[in-house]
Amino acid sequence: MDYRKEFRVEPGKKVHLGRIDPGYTGKHESHEKAQPEIREHLERMAELQYLLYANASRSLLVVLQALDAGGKDGTIRHLFSGMNPQGTRVFSFKQPTPDELAHDFLWRVHARTPGKGEVVIFNRSHYEDVLVVRVHKLVKKSVWSNRYEEIEHFEELLAQNGTTILKFYLHISPEEQLARFARRLDDPERRWKISESDYSERELWPEYVEAYEEALEKTSTDQAPWYVIPSNAKWFRDLAISKIVADTMEEMRLRLPPTRVDLDEIRRKYHAAKRAQAR
Ligand code: AMP
Ligand code: MG
């Protein structure tokens, strides 16, 4: 199955989240049956990330957005289980600090983008500035409505500089969110995740959907596509995302860099060291 075709938001197309089934799991019957495939994607990712790091000429940026309890943290844990911590970073965007608010909205984001050879995952992102900021009217419409274009230009700049960009919206149903909230209440291990605003934000679900739909429509481009990932089933979410990431990295045509040293010279030094050690 080509999840990139299936879940990609086509540039310029309308998005109706209500028409996308968050419980979709494709032809897969269960986590157990999908497990070998998931493992295969993770192994491919590990190999490709090694090449990306060794090559140090390109980079990968993965943007994760979702409503509360949408599964961003779980996705990050899963994706990184297939990568070497060397050369990877995750950054979580919280409410902006006064210093950040004193700058344009992309200032703090640009500073966190991946350098050559790196994989960076954004847990929330510059998209909060057309989502939470819009829903809570933190700035005027005339300000946030310009941001779609500003975001597109920003992402184009990153892409032209060698960054491959993937953006995932983790699509869950309100029922699944409430079930996850219940688990947080019941399970002492999960209680730390409960936030004061969970239920007040939940009441704004329709406003968030509207804001997400517009963001997905206006900022899905060939260079920085959005994918709407059915995420009620965590294992399917992990399967789809790891496949899209691995397939995309494969297309980056990553190769080991050529050796920069004179190998005959290095071999000579090695044998000299070997002889010295034997003495
Ligand atoms: P969490 O991801 O649960 O740790 O929460 C981080 C909080 O920061 C969320 O409520 C976000 O909506 C909020 N946040 C992130 N970026 C922004 C932003 N640019 N403006 C306002 N709030 C933000
Ligand atoms: Mg939260």
Side-chain angles (χ1 to χ4, degrees):
M1 182 58 74
D2 188 353
Y3 294 133
R4 284 189 298 177
K5 268 207 190 116
E6 204 171 352
F7 300 139
R8 188 179 139 119
V9 176
E10 289 311 318
K13 275 259 179 73
K14 281 258 164 238
V15 177
H16 300 281
L17 289 175
R19 292 192 204 149
I20 302 173
D21 176 13
Y24 178 85
T25 56
K27 64 174 174 27
H28 302 278
E29 290 160 35
S30 67
H31 187 186
E32 286 64 39
K33 291 204 172 144
Q35 193 57 47
E37 230 184 276
I38 297 178
R39 202 168 307 123
E40 186 240 316
H41 303 324
L42 290 177
E43 281 166 14
R44 267 198 305 146
M45 265 168 50
E47 283 168 23
L48 290 160
Q49 188 237 330
Y50 181 76
L51 294 180
L52 183 83
Y53 183 70
N55 206 282
S57 62
R58 310 277 314 272
S59 60
L60 177 69
L61 174 62
V62 177
V63 171
L64 296 179
Q65 285 288 159
L67 291 171
D68 289 319
K72 296 192 291 348
D73 293 344
T75 302
I76 292 169
R77 222 179 308 121
H78 184 258
L79 279 179
F80 272 146
S81 71
M83 294 196 204
N84 185 340
Q86 179 108 296
T88 57
R89 278 187 297 135
V90 56
F91 195 79
S92 302
F93 289 93
K94 308 285 181 185
Q95 281 179 7
T97 63
D99 193 26
E100 288 167 349
L101 279 176
H103 292 80
D104 69 85
F105 77 106
L106 292 170
W107 181 73
R108 66 172 183 164
V109 181
H110 205 163
R112 313 291 183 188
T113 54
K116 295 192 191 320
E118 273 187 321
V119 176
V120 167
I121 301 185
F122 280 176
N123 179 351
R124 302 186 191 273
S125 64
H126 42 304
Y127 284 94
E128 291 294 324
D129 292 280
V130 289
L131 295 165
V132 66
V133 166
R134 165 179 171 165
V135 169
H136 287 277
K137 303 184 169 60
L138 301 180
V139 301
K140 283 188 282 192
K141 181 171 182 182
S142 59
V143 174
W144 61 253
S145 60
N146 275 328
R147 289 182 172 166
Y148 303 105
E149 213 182 312
E150 289 158 359
I151 288 173
E152 196 179 324
H153 289 156
F154 169 63
E155 291 175 352
E156 197 180 322
L157 171 70
L158 300 182
Q160 279 170 0
N161 198 46
T163 303
T164 296
I165 306 169
L166 292 172
K167 304 181 293 199
F168 297 103
Y169 170 63
L170 313 182
H171 183 43
I172 59 165
S173 62
E175 295 77 19
E176 177 64 21
Q177 186 194 52
L178 199 59
R180 291 183 187 183
F181 282 174
R183 240 170 288 150
R184 289 179 178 183
L185 262 179
D186 295 342
D187 180 355
E189 299 258 307
R190 295 178 198 257
R191 278 190 197 138
W192 65 274
K193 294 186 179 179
I194 299 175
S195 141
E196 200 74 68
S197 64
D198 285 348
Y199 293 88
S200 54
E201 290 295 289
R202 178 178 164 80
E203 281 180 21
L204 296 168
W205 193 285
E207 285 83 352
Y208 272 107
V209 166
E210 195 186 349
Y212 264 107
E213 287 179 340
E214 189 166 349
L216 296 168
E217 270 163 36
K218 291 200 165 154
T219 63
S220 196
T221 61
D222 286 334
Q223 289 173 334
W226 271 109
Y227 295 92
V228 176
I229 305 295
S231 297
N232 276 6
K234 295 174 181 176
W235 61 267
F236 182 76
R237 169 200 77 199
D238 291 343
L239 172 75
I241 294 180
S242 56
K243 176 151 173 43
I244 291 170
V245 171
D247 287 352
T248 301
M249 290 179 85
E250 228 145 58
E251 280 184 3
M252 291 170 79
R253 305 197 172 284
L254 302 163
R255 300 276 177 277
L256 285 176
T259 313
R260 288 188 191 90
V261 296
D262 178 346
L263 280 182
D264 289 337
E265 177 68 11
I266 296 294
R267 265 192 207 103
R268 200 187 54 73
K269 286 184 181 166
Y270 166 76
H271 288 298
K274 191 86 179 153
R275 278 193 302 275
Q277 183 180 257
R279 262 187 240 121

